[in-house]
Amino acid sequence: MKKLTYILAITSLVSFAQQTPAPKQTKSILIYGGIAHLGNGKIQEQALISIQDGKIASISDGKLAKPAKHDLMIDASGKHIYPGFIAPNSTLGLVEIDAVRASDDESEVGTFNPHIRSIIAYNTESKITETARPNGVLLAQITPRGGRISGTSSIVQLDAWNWEDALVKENDGIHMRWPNSYSRSGWWAEPGGIEPNKKYDEQVKEIQDFFTNSFAYLSAKPAIKDIPYEAMKGIQEGTKTLYIQANGQKEITDAILFKKKNNIQKLVIVGGYYAFKVADLIKENNVSVLLRRVHDLPNSEDEDVNLPYKNAKLLVDKGILVGLENAGDMERMQTRNLPFYAGTCAAWGLSKEQALQLITSNTAKILGIDANYGTLEAGKSATLFISEGDALDMKSNLLIHAFIDGREISLESHQTELYQRYKKKYEQN
């Protein structure tokens, strides 16, 4: 019986594999007549976008120029064109089914694991990944979990045969969970009180000792290699970003002081729920924030119930570079809602184009891929999509074309297959 159950489980995983990756672009493409949201806060009405060899060859005003002849002409009149959305701090492709242990590769045992590379466990044929693409999420930062230092992330595009094909930027940064200065007792239905973490100073010292020892090791260049310490080289040299998960005011402050003490050049706060309380310190130290899931409840019962929705504006108004991330319960399945998080930020203070930047150009800058992604500009990757309506509004977000590096990708998924199947059933009645 166990053997049969195992076979059925494997069959169910294989039978609905991800759509076949699109072939390399060979024909020139011209998109004309659409409203182009450039991702940098600007809009181009009646845009002409020429795509050649996987790049945006040009983008111009259709009112001033006539469309040149291309192999494929796409009329986007009345429709909206966007750069591909980017999902940072994501575990897409690392876990398929939470209850099936063999499909869970998001974490490793141990406390300090900077050498763990999430990319080699990334599954390009995940069914969950293909559910994010129909809402415009075309890029993701694949990030490990667990331990104090979880490991090293990499950035991928979401239409590939294997992880090597998917790579956009390999080993971009190391992810660390800062200790909490307080802990909550009880559970969500009956929360208890808030208690101080008596081991907070000890846990911070453990982090400092690891960094001190690793930097000393790298400076000494010993003959015997220590793999975890070797992985810290990029942080010491400033070629990698240190992503620190911290939400509390004290935790964020201590993380920034840690940055200064250890001369860490690139630091991003992940989560950042109370970052607005120390916004000046964050801005002064050139730290970016990947803001935690917007569709959430406030941390405290006496807080503004709308604080999670307003958080992005509070930081943007202070001049901080802000992106949106989606870690938490059911985070892989919720990736498809990333554009609607941005839409909520627009409903609570930001303009639509500012909100769009939270999941395009801002995130691209934070991840260090803005030279090729994040905005619609000549010379950049043709990773973009066309939507019937406003892509930040779940009522009108309806993709009709999507491209990754100029390759038109499939927008089909297991859900769309079921939709078509049962649509025919009701048409027969």
Side-chain angles (χ1 to χ4, degrees):
M1 182 66 183
K2 288 184 178 179
K3 184 176 181 181
L4 177 59
T5 302
Y6 177 78
I7 293 172
L8 290 174
I10 295 298
T11 303
S12 67
L13 286 174
V14 173
S15 61
F16 294 104
Q18 191 171 12
Q19 300 295 324
T20 302
K24 184 177 179 180
Q25 181 189 5
T26 56
K27 297 181 178 181
S28 61
I29 302 169
L30 181 71
I31 303 172
Y32 65 93
I35 303 168
H37 301 261
L38 304 184
N40 58 6
K42 299 179 181 179
I43 296 177
Q44 178 71 69
E45 301 278 354
Q46 296 186 24
L48 289 174
I49 301 177
S50 173
I51 302 174
Q52 299 183 36
D53 300 323
K55 299 283 187 181
I56 298 176
S58 65
I59 180 167
S60 57
D61 189 342
K63 298 177 184 177
L64 305 176
K66 292 183 178 181
K69 183 66 176 176
H70 284 65
D71 297 324
L72 178 62
M73 309 278 280
I74 299 176
D75 184 357
S77 299
K79 300 175 178 61
H80 298 261
I81 309 165
Y82 296 86
F85 299 153
I86 308 167
N89 190 34
S90 172
T91 53
L92 273 177
L94 296 183
V95 183
E96 194 67 8
I97 302 173
D98 289 318
V100 179
R101 186 175 180 182
S103 73
D104 187 338
D105 280 322
E106 70 176 353
S107 63
E108 287 288 345
V109 296
T111 304
F112 295 99
N113 295 318
H115 56 297
I116 298 300
R117 299 170 61 239
S118 61
I119 188 62
I120 62 173
Y122 175 62
N123 174 23
T124 56
E125 295 193 359
S126 169
K127 286 198 301 179
I128 304 170
T129 298
E130 70 177 13
T131 67
R133 300 187 312 192
N135 281 353
V137 181
L138 305 182
L139 297 154
Q141 180 193 40
I142 308 306
T143 306
R145 300 283 189 258
R148 182 64 66 198
I149 296 181
S150 305
T152 299
S153 60
S154 292
I155 301 158
V156 300
Q157 50 85 3
L158 302 183
D159 183 67
W161 289 100
N162 50 51
W163 68 262
E164 292 94 340
D165 291 340
L167 269 174
V168 168
K169 185 176 183 180
E170 188 173 10
N171 303 333
D172 71 290
I174 290 175
H175 294 254
M176 180 169 73
R177 293 187 306 111
W178 195 263
N180 291 321
S181 60
Y182 288 87
S183 61
R184 295 177 182 270
S185 59
W187 59 303
W188 69 267
E190 297 180 7
I194 299 176
E195 302 173 353
N197 177 7
K198 297 178 181 179
K199 294 185 177 181
Y200 179 76
D201 291 338
E202 177 186 334
Q203 291 167 347
V204 172
K205 184 178 183 300
E206 288 177 352
I207 295 172
Q208 182 58 64
D209 288 346
F210 182 83
F211 274 73
T212 299
N213 293 337
S214 64
F215 288 178
Y217 164 88
L218 292 167
S219 298
K221 299 179 181 179
I224 300 176
K225 300 293 184 182
D226 185 292
I227 295 176
Y229 287 168
E230 287 283 342
M232 296 292 289
K233 186 176 181 180
I235 300 296
Q236 184 191 49
E237 295 178 344
T239 57
K240 288 183 182 178
T241 301
L242 179 62
Y243 297 89
I244 296 183
Q245 179 182 326
N247 283 292
Q249 180 177 351
K250 176 176 174 55
E251 288 83 347
I252 295 170
T253 300
D254 288 348
I256 293 175
L257 294 176
F258 177 82
K259 170 188 185 297
K260 296 173 70 175
K261 180 178 180 179
N262 293 279
N263 193 30
I264 296 170
Q265 297 178 38
K266 298 179 181 179
L267 176 67
V268 174
I269 296 296
V270 179
Y273 184 78
Y274 289 116
F276 68 92
K277 293 187 175 182
V278 287
D280 291 337
L281 180 66
I282 292 172
K283 175 66 175 176
E284 177 186 330
N285 287 276
N286 195 30
V287 173
S288 304
V289 176
L290 287 174
L291 197 59
R292 80 178 208 180
R293 187 182 298 175
V294 172
H295 291 179
D296 204 352
L297 295 172
N299 274 356
S300 174
E301 62 184 13
D302 58 355
E303 286 179 352
D304 180 355
V305 70
N306 298 313
L307 178 58
Y309 312 148
K310 299 176 180 178
N311 233 334
K313 178 174 170 55
L314 294 174
L315 297 177
V316 169
D317 285 351
K318 286 289 187 176
I320 295 170
L321 187 63
V322 182
L324 300 182
E325 59 102 9
N326 181 52
D329 293 338
M330 299 183 68
E331 62 179 88
R332 289 164 293 281
M333 297 71 122
Q334 295 282 8
T335 304
R336 60 190 176 191
N337 290 325
L338 184 67
F340 312 136
Y341 299 156
T344 298
C345 293
W348 288 90
L350 294 179
S351 69
K352 271 292 176 66
E353 300 311 310
Q354 283 179 313
L356 177 64
Q357 289 178 276
L358 300 178
I359 54 175
T360 55
S361 60
N362 284 10
T363 302
K365 290 175 184 176
I366 292 171
L367 302 186
I369 59 172
D370 54 304
N372 288 308
Y373 299 92
T375 56
L376 301 178
E377 295 181 57
K380 288 193 175 183
S381 168
T383 298
L384 52 90
F385 65 87
I386 304 171
S387 174
E388 290 276 5
D390 182 354
L392 304 190
D393 183 351
M394 66 176 63
K395 293 185 297 182
S396 59
N397 179 317
L398 180 61
L399 272 65
I400 56 174
H401 296 281
F403 302 86
I404 292 179
D405 296 328
R407 301 176 296 112
E408 184 161 16
I409 66 171
S410 171
L411 294 174
E412 296 300 316
S413 68
H414 182 40
Q415 282 83 354
T416 59
E417 289 175 4
L418 290 175
Y419 168 76
Q420 294 297 335
R421 176 183 176 185
Y422 287 100
K423 179 182 176 182
K424 292 178 181 178
K425 175 182 183 296
Y426 285 102
E427 287 174 349
Q428 293 172 359
N429 295 335

